[in-house]
């Protein structure tokens, strides 16, 4: 497989005026959203990628994004801890709630609630319909950087800047386990495998680690996967591949089962990014992989 995998650059999207930190799936698979340091939220069409459309703008850098299909709203987290509830049908109803401190680094829909992570070490749960905070839990005194949800276990995994990984019950948000010093530096990315049997984590230490979920999260492998911080981990919609991206300007494609590195995508050689690759999105639409960078652009890739 390592010798046959191919990656094709489909399009490079420009239009943002600052680093792009956030990507999100949209109302239909053929669309996706981006959020950047310019405060812009842009909708892109895979069928016409040169025609990005500005759908909202906030006053400061956007770090995280989530689209709510049922009420056509976008939830965006900014660098100052604000959570924007953007009503795309009624823009006048848009609200910015100054809730967290020092950044909102991740937003996810889990069950009927929206969950946000803050730079002050707090996890907050919001009502999706009203956009009101229901409860907050202080987990650590350092930033919470990333989270993922295991439906099979009904657990939330959270990576933090204190180097730990926290496992919480998704029902009552009680703390079930802490993987102490999971990385030598901040945990920037985390993802359950599609079969829910492994947890992958990437850190500022540039290591990719794989944890055995069914064996009390025993460490299975640890490897120096990049030169610098691993910013994002995403799985192919069919689950057989995953991708990582890094501050080292590369993205890498891996075999999900063997954890073998299959492809390295670099800036000059592969017409990739020229700066840190901050976020990845692997879309259901044509299985396109989207990468977003500090170079103010996004690239759509097709992996064969």
């Amino acid at each position: 497989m390592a010798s046959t995998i191919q990656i094709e650059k489909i399009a490079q999207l420009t239009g943002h005026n600052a680093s792009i930190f956030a990507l999100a799936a949209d109302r239909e698979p053929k669309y996706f959203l981006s959020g950047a340091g310019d405060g812009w939220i842009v909708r892109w069409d895979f069928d016409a990628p040169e025609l990005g459309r500005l759908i909202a703008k906030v006053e400061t850098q956007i770090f995280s994004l989530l689209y709510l299909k049922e009420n056509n709203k976008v939830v965006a987290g900014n660098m100052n801890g604000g959570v924007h509830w953007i009503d795309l049908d009624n823009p006048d109803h848009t609200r910015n709630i100054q809730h967290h401190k020092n950044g909102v680094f991740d937003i996810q829909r889990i069950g009927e609630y929206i969950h946000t992570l803050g730079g002050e070490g707090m996890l907050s749960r919001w009502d999706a319909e009203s956009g009101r905070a229901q409860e907050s839990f202080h987990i650590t005194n350092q930033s919470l950087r990333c989270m993922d949800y295991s439906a099979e276990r009904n657990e939330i995994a959270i990576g933090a800047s204190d180097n730990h990984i926290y496992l919480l019950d998704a029902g009552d948000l009680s703390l079930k386990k802490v993987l102490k010093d999971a990385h030598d530096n901040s945990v920037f990315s985390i993802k359950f495998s599609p079969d829910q049997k492994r947890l992958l984590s990437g850190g500022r230490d540039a290591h990719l680690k794989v944890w055995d979920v069914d064996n009390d999260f025993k460490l299975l492998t640890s490897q120096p996967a990049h030169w610098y911080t691993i910013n994002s981990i995403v799985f192919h919609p069919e689950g057989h591949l995953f991708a990582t991206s890094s501050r080292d300007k590369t993205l890498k494609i891996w075999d999900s089962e063997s954890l073998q590195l299959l492809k390295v995508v670099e800036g000059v050689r592969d017409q990739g990014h020229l700066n840190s690759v901050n976020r990845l999105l692997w879309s259901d639409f044509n299985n396109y992989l989207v990468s977003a960078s500090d170079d103010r652009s996004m690239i759509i890739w097709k992996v064969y």
Side-chain angles (χ1 to χ4, degrees):
M1 186 175 182
S3 61
T4 60
I5 190 169
Q6 301 290 329
I7 187 163
E8 177 188 355
K9 183 178 179 179
I10 302 298
Q12 188 153 6
L13 317 183
T14 58
H16 279 291
N17 293 320
S19 299
I20 304 167
F21 299 113
L23 296 171
D26 199 6
R27 59 192 178 193
E28 298 174 30
K30 67 173 291 193
Y31 299 106
F32 70 95
L33 303 177
S34 62
D38 52 15
W40 296 359
I41 300 172
V42 179
R43 172 172 283 140
W44 304 88
D45 185 339
F46 282 116
D47 284 336
E50 69 282 355
L51 301 175
R53 186 168 71 87
L54 181 67
I55 61 170
K57 190 179 189 308
V58 302
E59 71 283 353
T60 189
Q61 296 185 49
I62 294 172
F63 281 174
S64 50
L65 274 181
L66 177 70
Y67 176 73
L68 302 180
K69 187 174 184 178
E70 69 273 16
N71 50 21
N72 199 28
K73 291 181 180 178
V74 173
V75 188
N78 71 35
M79 69 174 296
N80 298 324
V83 180
H84 302 263
W85 292 80
I86 301 164
D87 189 328
L88 298 179
D89 295 325
N90 300 286
D92 292 342
H93 295 170
T94 292
R95 296 180 300 138
N96 175 24
I97 302 171
Q98 191 60 41
H99 183 78
H100 289 284
K101 296 178 181 178
N102 307 323
V104 180
F105 295 107
D106 205 353
I107 306 173
Q108 286 203 23
R109 174 73 178 262
I110 300 173
E112 59 185 298
Y113 299 106
I114 310 304
H115 296 69
T116 58
L117 298 182
E120 75 292 88
M122 191 166 66
L123 166 69
S124 293
R125 174 181 275 176
W126 305 72
D127 178 75
E129 182 61 35
S130 67
R132 300 188 184 280
Q134 301 291 299
E135 49 194 341
S136 297
F137 292 82
H138 188 262
I139 294 174
T140 176
N141 289 324
Q142 297 190 46
S143 298
L144 301 179
R145 303 292 313 201
C146 53
M147 64 178 149
D148 197 30
Y149 172 63
S150 167
E152 186 174 292
R153 297 173 62 88
N154 198 34
E155 284 183 359
I156 304 170
I158 296 175
S161 288
D162 61 9
N163 311 352
H164 302 341
I165 293 173
Y166 296 87
L167 284 307
L168 281 71
D169 183 282
D172 60 12
L173 300 185
S174 61
L175 183 63
K176 297 178 70 174
K177 186 176 181 63
V178 181
L179 305 180
K180 293 188 176 181
D181 297 316
H183 285 265
D184 293 337
N185 211 318
S186 300
V187 185
F188 266 49
S189 50
I190 202 160
K191 188 69 67 174
F192 283 101
S193 62
D195 64 8
Q196 314 279 285
K197 295 186 179 300
R198 293 182 289 183
L199 178 69
L200 281 64
S201 61
R204 201 171 175 183
D205 57 6
H207 275 66
L208 174 68
K209 298 195 176 188
V210 181
W211 311 83
D212 187 343
V213 171
D214 293 332
N215 192 20
D216 200 30
F217 292 91
K218 178 183 177 182
L219 181 63
L220 291 173
T221 66
S222 176
Q223 58 181 306
H226 286 270
W227 287 106
Y228 301 111
T229 305
I230 300 176
N231 290 321
S232 190
I233 302 172
V234 294
F235 277 88
H236 187 286
E238 295 172 6
H240 63 296
L241 302 173
F242 70 92
T244 58
S245 70
S246 170
R247 195 168 69 85
D248 67 11
K249 310 175 189 178
T250 70
L251 65 95
K252 298 186 177 186
I253 310 297
W254 308 75
D255 181 272
S256 296
E257 189 60 36
S258 68
L259 305 177
Q260 181 183 3
L261 176 61
L262 304 179
K263 192 78 173 177
V264 180
V265 182
E266 297 178 344
V268 175
R269 184 190 68 193
D270 303 299
Q271 296 182 302
H273 291 289
L274 302 178
N275 297 100
S276 174
V277 187
N278 298 323
R279 190 71 59 185
L280 298 173
L281 173 71
W282 216 324
S283 173
D284 290 327
F285 186 81
N286 286 343
N287 293 332
Y288 283 149
L289 176 64
V290 184
S291 55
S293 172
D294 272 356
D295 65 14
R296 305 182 180 186
S297 79
M298 289 164 290
I299 299 176
I300 300 172
W301 308 92
K302 179 70 174 178
V303 182
Y304 298 94

